[in-house]
Amino acid sequence: MADKRPPGTLGVDLRKPGLRVCGLCGEVREMTKAHVPPQAAGNRDKVTCATVRIHNQVRSNGRPAAGGMWLRGLCGDCNSLAGLHYDAAYGDFAAALRTYTRAMPLLHLPRPDPAPPVRLAPGRVARSILIGMFATTPHLRVLFPGLATDLRERRDHITMPDGATLRLALYPYRGTRLASMFNAVRVLRSRRHYDVFSEVYFRPLAWSLTSSGRGNVESMGESVFDNPSWAIVDDWIQYGDDVFTVDLRDLCRQGIPQVRHPLLGDDQNDWVQFFNDEVTAIFEGQC
């Protein structure tokens, strides 16, 4: 059947109902709306979302629609898994941080500031965002099947797979972005590179699932995640569901930076982006 979407629409149409491969369990089932981040974090109602398109090398956004940042990337069972067990903890964490980030100047800080003095359930928070990331593309499950299984079976102590690392930063801006696999290189000004398996930018938090084995490639410049240095939170999923109140300052002793997204705003023309237009899906909006 011919693709009836507007020219340049990227990836699988993850906002259309229908039978597809679930991003977490891998079964072909009817997909349901997965809000990423969860609705408990304020991702609903007036939050807008639009798909990003690339046609004839021109970037554009589709018509913004209210109702939150969501996609149909999980079956009902996998979607309910996060909603029943983890999303409330993510919402509590986001609410505590939102008060803190409002008081911060909206600057791109040169180094991580000390972590805010808030408490959270690290295992539940990490599971919530990771399940959401698996909703962004079924290819993530192909790359990391063990992690998908551990999340789906709700194992108490999970280890991040070789080749992947979960990073966290503070993000107090209204622009939102949800995307699956892509990378970019800044070719104007100083050379930098940025590549992710999945990313979620929704105030007050930014999350990226990135490669852990690549390191700096001299020809591509410094990684965006190394300056300022994003907090690496791989060990959060080793905490069980019974751990509710860990001080963020103890989890992120090196501090947490406040960041902007390098491809949101006027600087995006400095970058060359690389992605598979049959795999990558990108959504942007406002909250």
Side-chain angles (χ1 to χ4, degrees), residues 26 28 36 68-69 73 103 108 179 189 194 200 223 249 251 255:
V28 177
V36 188
M69 300 286 288
H108 193 166
R189 298 184 292 162
Y194 182 89
V200 182
S223 170
R249 293 171 294 183
L251 294 169

Side-chain angles (χ1 to χ4, degrees), residues 72-150:
R72 297 183 188 272
L74 298 176
C75 68
D77 290 341
C78 291
N79 200 3
S80 297
L81 178 71
L84 290 173
H85 301 287
Y86 307 132
D87 289 351
Y90 187 103
D92 291 343
F93 180 44
L97 283 176
R98 194 171 291 114
T99 300
Y100 177 84
T101 54
R102 280 183 184 143
M104 296 174 64
L106 301 186
L107 299 174
H108 193 166
L109 302 180
R111 65 175 64 89
D113 270 3
V118 302
R119 293 185 174 273
L120 68 147
R124 291 174 181 258
V125 169
R127 286 165 172 79
S128 174
I129 198 64
L130 283 170
I131 290 173
M133 286 178 165
F134 273 90
T136 64
T137 172
H139 292 78
L140 199 56
R141 182 183 176 276
V142 175
L143 288 173
F144 307 115
L147 178 58
T149 299
D150 289 345

Side-chain angles (χ1 to χ4, degrees), residues 172-191:
Y173 306 105
R174 295 184 60 86
T176 64
R177 183 172 164 109
L178 174 64
S180 54
M181 304 172 184
F182 79 96
N183 61 76
V185 178
R186 190 170 72 182
V187 294
L188 299 181
R189 298 184 292 162
S190 60
R191 184 67 64 97

